[in-house]
Amino acid sequence: MRTKTLPKMRGLYTIICLVFLIAGFAKSQTRKIIDVHFHTRSAGDYGTTPPPNPASGRLPHASSNEEIYSSNLVLLKKYNIVKAICSGTIARNTDFITNDPVRFLSSLEFPDHQNNPLPDTLTFKKMAIEKKFIAFGELGLQYEGKTLADPEYAPYLAICEQLGIPVLLHTGEAAPNTPYMPCCPRFRINSGRPLHIEPVLIKYPKLKVMLMHMGFPFLEETKAVLNVYPQVSVDISVIDWAVPTQEFYDYLKALIVAGFEKRIMYGSDQMIWEDAIELSVKKVEKAPFLSKKQKDDIFYNNAAKFFGIK
Ligand SMILES: [Zn+2]
């Protein structure tokens, strides 16, 4: 009897394993993702011959606004990125939102690639009330050698605090040779230190702030800010594809070990390189130290809570 039932049981066991494997695979494919750092670039923003992706070496193949939209959309759909916080000009964000109003949400970038000035504060407030943008950023103030504590931004931060508009601040560093580039002679590493936001958080205690690029490589300052100020979260953008994998994993793991797993959000910061979406999603999926729940939180739950996405 035993010799007859054993092969049957083995067969059953194999079928059960296959079912679980298929279910697990389907689950990973249907994991919902929010990209909190998605740029709505225009053709020509990086010159007529854009450089290759510094991580993959691949050239961006989109050469028109329409191609930029469609090449990004293909990857957003492929990885089930159901929401993307668009960091760009209102005009370019509107292009994306008009095409797919469910997926895309507008955030007001400054400075932007068109060198638009900030709107005056009355206009800014009106635009915020009318939901022309749901967040203020990416604020690349570091590229101007400035910080969020610079007095010229104070009236805008007061409005953001009053209306519950999150502020999305570029922190950390930038590409090699940035201060020598024509765009950015005022760029300084020091301006990207996370601690520069402390006086802002003291003055506007209800202001929600997202430190883009998780303050990398200023780990100690980032941990201190996250610990003392619960209204601050981070995104993992660009570090999740442009730096060596182990470097990214070590930094992310340090924030997880420190207890901040509910305040870390996925972002691509794909700029003009749409393959950054694929590279970054895969790195998070493969992170050996993250549980399924932690991946769900980083990919979706934490951003849904931070941005109030239903
Ligand atoms: Zn940035």
Side-chain angles (χ1 to χ4, degrees):
M1 185 172 165
R2 198 169 172 179
T3 51
K4 280 182 184 173
T5 54
L6 201 57
K8 278 186 190 169
M9 287 185 71
R10 279 196 187 131
L12 188 63
Y13 178 73
T14 308
I15 290 166
I16 289 169
C17 286
L18 275 172
V19 166
F20 274 100
L21 267 175
I22 292 164
F25 180 73
K27 188 94 180 166
S28 72
Q29 294 304 293
T30 55
R31 191 199 298 277
K32 284 196 299 183
I33 297 178
I34 297 172
D35 185 345
V36 301
H37 196 138
F38 178 84
H39 284 294
T40 53
R41 294 291 175 239
S42 300
D45 277 357
Y46 284 66
T48 47
T49 51
N53 180 323
S56 69
R58 279 180 236 154
L59 279 166
H61 52 74
S63 57
S64 68
N65 282 359
E66 293 71 26
E67 283 177 355
I68 288 173
Y69 175 78
S70 54
S71 63
N72 277 283
L73 188 65
V74 165
L75 288 170
L76 295 179
K77 285 184 172 174
K78 180 177 177 183
Y79 290 98
N80 205 25
I81 298 175
V82 296
K83 300 280 181 192
I85 311 293
C86 295
S87 179
T89 63
I90 295 296
R92 191 65 179 126
N93 289 350
T94 303
D95 286 347
F96 280 66
I97 293 166
T98 303
N99 280 319
D100 191 341
V102 174
R103 191 182 314 271
F104 296 110
L105 298 160
S106 180
S107 183
L108 179 64
E109 184 180 35
F110 180 80
D112 64 38
H113 274 256
Q114 312 299 320
N115 291 319
N116 288 311
L118 269 180
D120 63 69
T121 49
L122 274 179
T123 308
F124 181 87
K125 187 170 186 178
K126 185 169 180 285
M127 290 167 72
I129 290 169
E130 291 172 352
K131 308 264 189 241
K132 293 279 195 309
F133 55 85
I134 59 118
F136 185 31
E138 179 173 11
L139 299 181
L141 310 181
Q142 184 180 13
Y143 290 88
E144 302 291 320
K146 293 182 177 175
T147 75
L148 202 58
D150 208 290
E152 67 191 277
Y153 307 118
Y156 297 93
L157 301 180
I159 293 167
C160 288
E161 184 190 42
Q162 184 195 0
L163 299 179
I165 304 281
V167 169
L168 318 180
L169 179 70
H170 172 97
T171 60
E173 48 172 319
N177 292 311
T178 295
Y180 308 120
M181 294 175 186
C183 65
C184 317
R186 292 185 291 276
F187 175 93
R188 293 294 180 271
I189 292 170
N190 184 57
S191 303
R193 301 190 78 128
L195 264 186
H196 285 302
I197 69 163
E198 188 165 38
V200 172
L201 299 171
I202 297 296
K203 193 170 179 186
Y204 307 104
K206 295 196 179 96
L207 188 68
K208 288 169 76 175
V209 178
M210 182 175 90
L211 301 179
M212 292 172 145
H213 321 303
M214 51 182 172
F216 179 90
F218 301 111
L219 177 61
E220 289 186 3
E221 289 191 15
T222 304
K223 281 162 69 171
V225 169
L226 286 172
N227 190 52
V228 174
Y229 300 104
Q231 66 273 45
V232 178
S233 288
V234 300
D235 85 16
I236 62 173
S237 67
V238 97
I239 313 307
D240 51 17
W241 58 271
V243 307
T245 303
Q246 196 57 53
E247 176 94 319
F248 165 51
Y249 283 173
D250 287 349
Y251 196 95
L252 177 59
K253 188 176 178 182
L255 294 183
I256 295 282
V257 169
F260 303 120
E261 62 189 33
K262 298 290 185 189
R263 290 154 68 191
I264 301 168
M265 299 179 264
Y266 167 77
S268 65
D269 195 0
Q270 90 295 17
M271 293 176 259
I272 46 163
W273 304 294
E274 61 275 349
D275 65 333
I277 295 170
E278 195 159 41
L279 294 171
S280 55
V281 169
K282 284 182 177 174
K283 280 206 189 180
V284 176
E285 287 284 9
K286 289 178 181 169
F289 54 91
L290 291 177
S291 68
K292 181 195 166 298
K293 179 75 175 80
Q294 286 168 333
K295 287 177 191 172
D296 286 343
D297 286 344
I298 290 169
F299 273 133
Y300 188 90
N301 298 332
N302 296 344
K305 187 175 175 199
F306 186 84
F307 289 98
I309 293 170
K310 301 279 190 291

